[in-house]
Amino acid sequence: MSIESTNPATGEVVDTFDETSSGDREAHLDRAVETFEEWSETPIERRQRLLSAAADVLRENSAEYAELMTKEMGKPIGQARDEVEKCAWVCDYYAEHAAEHLDDEVIASEPEARTLLSYEPLGPILAIMPWNFPFWQVFRFAAPNLAAGNVGLLKHASNVPGCARAIEDVFREAGFPEGAFTTLLISSSEIDEVIEDDRIAGVTITGSDGAGRSVAETAGSQLKKNVLELGGSDPFVVLEDAPMEKTVETAVQARLINNGQSCIAAKRFVVVDEVYDEFLERFVEEMDAQTVGDPMDEETDIGPQAREDLAEELHEQVEKTLEAGGECRLGGEPMDRDGAFYPPTVLTDVPEDAPADQEELFGPVATVFRVPDEEAAIEKANDTRFGLGASVWTEDLERGERVARQFESGLAFVNELVKSDPRLPFGGVKDSGYGRELARDGIREFVNRKTIWVQGDAGEETEMVE
């Protein structure tokens, strides 16, 4: 069977790829195991050098990779170039810090003993990745895990097969051994079988909470380590002393980045009554000023949704919210043009239990809530089954940090939009998943934290304890 990638801005077929056959899948899994034996014993200094080479390949081919992303899933071309650069950055980060993060950790114990933690790779890791950041989501998994001595197998989203192949080529061109990173162009129906395969040591997924539950159930039944990076409905809390100009400018960016299709995008804007009217007026004006159009055009702020069905699903959530009593202050209707375009949309007066209150809206739709005060803002911010990111806006930094500590989220920002950074752990709580990517925490997720005890006086009897 073949897989087509389709340009969501035009409906034209970008390219066609052959699915990975069952025979080829078996060969790839065998190769991954063989390569792991070699790769895990490769000095970490060489692994770091190869990651640095991967960063060079990314930068040398930035224009090509950016255009591919834009054609396959509609990301504005400038944001696509930024994504390639961020992938190079995460490779640079682990090329510099991997050895430090994986160095033995000596722990004090008995006077005559040396005790330590050793961080050792697990084996082939399956990565199930989404289409919205088709390069970045993969590289934030691949860079730390390849540095740690694991090998990776990628099951990418079906609408970005070209990106999947291109990423595999990056590592091949950088000099990684065959089998260190392999793309499997397989259907979702085959995922459980791969997870259950004895040759797979662990699995990570970035996707919906439904997909995460399914993967966790299968991995758990096999007692395999798993990391879940799932959806979010991030609150953006505006207090009465917020620096309004910066707050509104960032609010628009935080909602519309990547055409609004980001797990850590601000989706619920929780504004205290004292500044609600001012914020709403300025926010609607700025949202309306954004340019929707051809994502290959440098002047475009918002491109299409990644697929027609995703735009339809988003509009259905908007319609149901309005039917429940919500108000539409901007947008709210699919655009009358070819392609999966949806306009910047602002909803207010959204009742509890409406889709815009309870569900993740994965597109350029913002929901603005009015609350009486800070206490109510925190309560509303936490009134969600998700717990990925959150931000608060205030002139008082001590107040901001105090509020940030009360968010039920894995990430909390004061006077900044929620974002990922190779230097900082990334992940959520509640229905947003568990585990962490990036920084030291990320490189230690798929390793064996082995306790080693070296007794100095072998002739002395010791009490046997468990």
Side-chain angles (χ1 to χ4, degrees):
M1 256 183 98
S2 61
I3 301 173
E4 286 186 349
S5 62
T6 303
N7 187 328
T10 65
E12 297 174 352
V13 174
V14 177
D15 207 342
T16 303
F17 302 83
D18 291 330
E19 282 192 0
T20 302
S21 68
S22 58
D24 285 343
R25 191 184 79 189
E26 285 296 304
H28 290 322
L29 286 168
D30 281 340
R31 170 63 75 178
V33 172
E34 294 170 7
T35 302
F36 172 69
E37 296 302 320
E38 166 199 345
W39 183 245
S40 61
E41 297 297 327
T42 299
I44 193 168
E45 293 79 12
R46 172 161 171 74
R47 300 200 296 256
Q48 289 176 290
R49 286 196 298 271
L50 289 177
L51 272 182
S52 183
D56 292 340
V57 173
L58 284 162
R59 292 188 173 103
E60 290 165 5
N61 299 284
S62 176
E64 174 189 341
Y65 299 146
E67 184 174 328
L68 176 60
M69 277 189 275
T70 297
K71 286 183 175 179
E72 285 202 320
M73 55 72 60
K75 185 187 306 286
I77 190 65
Q79 294 181 30
R81 287 195 297 270
D82 291 343
E83 183 167 333
V84 177
E85 176 56 37
K86 193 168 185 177
C87 293
W89 179 23
V90 76
C91 289
D92 286 340
Y93 174 84
Y94 285 107
E96 181 178 354
H97 297 287
E100 167 195 342
H101 291 333
L102 296 171
D103 198 18
D104 290 347
E105 183 179 345
V106 177
I107 302 171
S109 61
E110 298 296 326
E112 300 299 326
R114 179 172 181 263
T115 53
L116 59 92
L117 280 180
S118 174
Y119 299 96
E120 302 175 1
L122 294 182
I125 308 298
L126 175 66
I128 304 163
M129 292 295 155
W131 46 262
N132 57 330
F133 291 91
F135 268 61
W136 169 243
Q137 307 277 21
V138 177
F139 273 89
R140 77 181 191 192
F141 153 77
N145 278 285
L146 290 172
N150 293 314
V151 300
L153 296 111
L154 170 65
K155 192 290 178 202
H156 217 327
S158 59
N159 59 327
V160 289
C163 292
R165 289 291 191 207
I167 293 168
E168 184 179 51
D169 290 342
V170 168
F171 291 115
R172 182 181 298 111
E173 188 173 338
F176 283 78
E178 183 182 356
F181 191 89
T182 305
T183 285
L184 302 176
L185 294 183
I186 59 176
S187 70
S188 297
S189 64
E190 299 176 69
I191 290 175
D192 282 351
E193 188 177 346
V194 176
I195 295 172
E196 292 168 350
D197 194 291
D198 290 342
R199 289 166 290 187
I200 295 295
V203 58
T204 181
I205 178 173
T206 299
S208 68
D209 59 303
R213 291 175 196 277
S214 177
V215 166
E217 182 177 2
T218 304
S221 72
Q222 304 298 308
L223 298 181
K224 292 183 179 180
K225 177 65 186 289
N226 58 93
V227 169
L228 309 181
E229 297 289 357
L230 309 179
S233 188
D234 288 9
F236 185 107
V237 173
V238 183
L239 301 179
E240 70 278 358
D241 61 344
M244 194 56 66
E245 183 174 350
K246 180 186 177 185
T247 299
V248 171
E249 178 185 347
T250 310
V252 173
Q253 180 187 2
R255 175 59 281 204
L256 298 181
I257 192 169
N258 202 44
N259 305 335
Q261 300 167 124
S262 171
C263 295
I264 53 172
K267 300 183 176 80
R268 297 177 301 126
F269 295 82
V270 182
V271 187
V272 298
D273 182 71
E274 187 174 328
V275 293
Y276 176 87
D277 291 333
E278 179 187 2
F279 174 84
L280 181 61
E281 180 181 357
R282 295 173 69 163
F283 183 59
V284 169
E285 182 179 343
E286 287 300 315
M287 289 279 281
D288 193 32
Q290 303 304 299
T291 300
V292 181
D294 180 0
M296 292 297 293
D297 188 333
E298 297 285 351
E299 300 302 314
T300 292
D301 298 308
I302 306 171
Q305 301 300 277
R307 299 193 312 262
E308 286 282 357
D309 64 300
L310 296 171
E312 292 168 1
E313 180 181 333
L314 178 67
H315 184 54
E316 183 178 338
Q317 290 174 302
V318 171
E319 286 187 311
K320 288 183 177 179
T321 297
L322 298 180
E323 289 169 4
E327 295 291 329
C328 184
R329 302 300 183 98
L330 178 70
E333 290 289 342
M335 301 185 74
D336 185 16
R337 59 181 296 168
D338 292 336
F341 288 90
Y342 204 86
T345 296
V346 179
L347 306 178
T348 62
D349 303 307
V350 172
E352 291 185 6
D353 299 327
D357 181 59
Q358 293 296 313
E359 300 174 7
E360 179 179 23
L361 271 59
F362 214 61
V365 179
T367 306
V368 186
F369 296 91
R370 184 197 295 264
V371 294
D373 53 28
E374 175 190 306
E375 182 180 357
I378 295 169
E379 182 179 355
K380 185 61 183 177
N382 292 334
D383 183 23
T384 173
R385 61 190 178 87
F386 296 106
L388 188 51
S391 66
V392 58
W393 295 78
T394 172
E395 290 280 13
D396 185 338
L397 299 186
E398 289 186 7
R399 181 190 191 191
E401 183 172 339
R402 174 172 50 78
V403 171
R405 290 178 180 275
Q406 296 178 72
F407 288 142
E408 296 170 357
S409 62
L411 310 161
F413 286 67
V414 179
N415 296 340
E416 179 60 284
L417 56 79
V418 178
K419 56 188 176 182
S420 56
D421 183 314
R423 300 164 296 186
L424 301 173
F426 180 93
V429 296
K430 297 164 56 173
D431 281 8
S432 291
Y434 49 71
R436 291 295 180 265
E437 293 182 318
L438 303 175
R440 183 184 68 177
D441 297 62
I443 202 172
R444 291 183 175 182
E445 280 288 0
F446 290 101
V447 296
N448 176 16
R449 297 169 173 85
K450 181 186 289 183
T451 297
I452 298 177
W453 180 302
V454 182
Q455 186 66 37
D457 186 354
E460 183 176 334
E461 293 186 4
T462 59
E463 182 182 356
M464 297 298 290
V465 295
E466 191 175 62

